[in-house]
């Protein structure tokens, strides 16, 4: 390759995203608890909608996503004209960076924040800036201290991944109110549905002009494999994002499955309740064998070990038992393992295996 052909500045600095592993050499009865997937998958209504789209595959999909935006707006009590749909919420995060960040600008994320914020900032040529957290909780004052006249975007997930912790409305209010005037606050609500009664930050989008919320069908709705997400923001911001969005970014299969999923209250309620029940059970089972975790508001637990060596030894042991969890050293949490709350059998299996691991080290 000619050395004159080079990518844009920043691209070669990107560290590739490490997804959750899904295979263990030599094991067939594998439990995958590494990607925060819903163990129940999508509901029947979503699956039926998915299957029906087979008759339309020769047609180009809707490019304005009106039906899905309407379904989301009705279910969440929002204004459909200020919703944008994307290929996972990842695509919305990418549009935000593409449209608002670039060379000479900064994008703030937090110490243990989701890896994609950094990656999309770098892909846009912007400089990612990391703000410290306090004991695995987003620290609003530290974020504000990291902002300056070059800051264009501030990303936080609330509840957060991989910590599972959450900050309150008073903190969000302080953050949104304290940002420099040219900066947009992005509230990533990938896990918002797991918190009963929580609007994911939609109220701040309504009451302010510098807040955007992103949401996904990948977690509670059990559709991670289909890639659908959405964003909600001020009309001006949504209009900007629609200019960088490809007209046919979502297939009719994605659009119709998501619309059916968001209307299926029974499935949502069942998955939320099961997750809450098993999350408490798993956290207590681990605490009993000396593996603490912060109170989680999500569908995973961040299990803390004595040190990096113990966390890695436990991960290695779990693999021998056919259980895959997530190492999070890349998120500056080397002594932790992130464990998705699976179905009851998976929770029992991972709790039992971690107990056996700890027993073996006494
Ligand atoms: C899973 C996740 C997402 C969503 O990803 P999709 O692209 O919608 O599948 C976004 N943010 C965080 C923090 C996540 O954990």
């Amino acid at each position: 390759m000619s050395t004159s052909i080079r990518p844009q500045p920043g691209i070669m600095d990107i560290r590739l995203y490490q997804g959750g592993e899904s295979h263990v050499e030599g094991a067939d009865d594998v439990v995958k608890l590494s990607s925060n997937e819903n163990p129940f998958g999508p509901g029947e209504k979503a699956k039926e909608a998915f299957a029906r789209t087979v008759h339309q595959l020769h047609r180009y999909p809707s490019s304005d996503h009106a039906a899905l935006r309407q379904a989301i707006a009705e279910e969440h009590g929002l204004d459909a004209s200020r919703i944008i749909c994307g290929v996972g919420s990842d695509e919305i995060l990418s549009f935000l960076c593409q449209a608002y960040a670039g060379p000479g600008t900064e994008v703030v994320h937090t110490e243990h924040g989701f890896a994609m914020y950094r990656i999309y900032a770098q892909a846009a040529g912007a400089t990612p800036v990391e703000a410290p957290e306090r004991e695995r909780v987003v620290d609003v004052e530290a974020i504000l201290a990291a902002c300056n006249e070059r800051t264009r975007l501030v990303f936080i997930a609330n509840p957060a991944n991989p910590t599972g912790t959450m900050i309150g409305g008073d903190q969000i209010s302080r953050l949104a109110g304290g940002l420099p005037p040219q900066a947009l606050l992005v509230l990533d609500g990938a896990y918002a549905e797991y918190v009963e009664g929580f609007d994911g930050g939609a109220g701040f989008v309504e009451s302010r002009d510098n807040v955007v919320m992103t949401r996904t069908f990948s977690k509670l709705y059990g559709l991670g494999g289909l890639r659908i997400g959405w964003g909600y923001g001020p009309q001006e911001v949504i209009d900007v994002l629609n200019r960088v969005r490809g007209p046919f970014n979502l297939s009719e299969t994605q659009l119709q499955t998501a619309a059916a999923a968001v209307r299926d209250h029974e499935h949502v309620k069942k998955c939320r309740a099961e997750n809450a029940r098993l999350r408490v059970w798993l956290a207590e089972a681990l605490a009993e064998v000396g593996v603490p975790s912060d109170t989680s508001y999500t569908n995973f637990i961040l299990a803390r070990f004595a040190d990096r060596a113990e966390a890695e030894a436990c991960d290695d042991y779990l693999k021998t038992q056919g259980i895959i969890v997530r190492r999070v050293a890349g998120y500056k949490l080397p002594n932790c393992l992130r464990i998705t709350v699976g179905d009851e059998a998976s929770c029992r299996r991972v709790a039992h295996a971690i107990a056996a691991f700890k027993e073996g080290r006494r």
Side-chain angles (χ1 to χ4, degrees), residues 88-90 114 117 157 161 188 190-191 216 218-219 227:
S89 49
D90 268 10
F114 188 46
Y117 309 148
N161 172 24
D188 177 341
Y191 300 94
T216 185
S218 300
K219 306 285 159 58
R227 316 301 307 126

Side-chain angles (χ1 to χ4, degrees), residues 23-31 312-325 327 349 353-354 356-357:
H23 300 286
V24 182
E25 203 74 41
D28 33 47
D29 182 18
V30 166
V31 178
E312 290 182 353
C314 184
D315 183 44
D316 290 341
Y317 175 75
L318 292 176
K319 280 214 184 74
T320 69
Q321 304 302 299
I323 302 169
I324 310 175
V325 300
R327 287 192 189 195
R349 209 165 129 186
I354 292 176
F357 167 79

Side-chain angles (χ1 to χ4, degrees), residues 17 35-36 87-91 93 114 117 157 159-161 188-191 214-219 224 227-229 300 338:
Y17 181 78
S35 297
N36 300 341
V87 180
S89 49
D90 268 10
E91 195 182 30
L93 303 175
F114 188 46
Y117 309 148
N161 172 24
D188 177 341
Y191 300 94
T214 61
R215 302 284 285 264
T216 185
F217 284 91
S218 300
K219 306 285 159 58
R227 316 301 307 126
I228 319 133
F300 58 84
R338 194 191 68 188

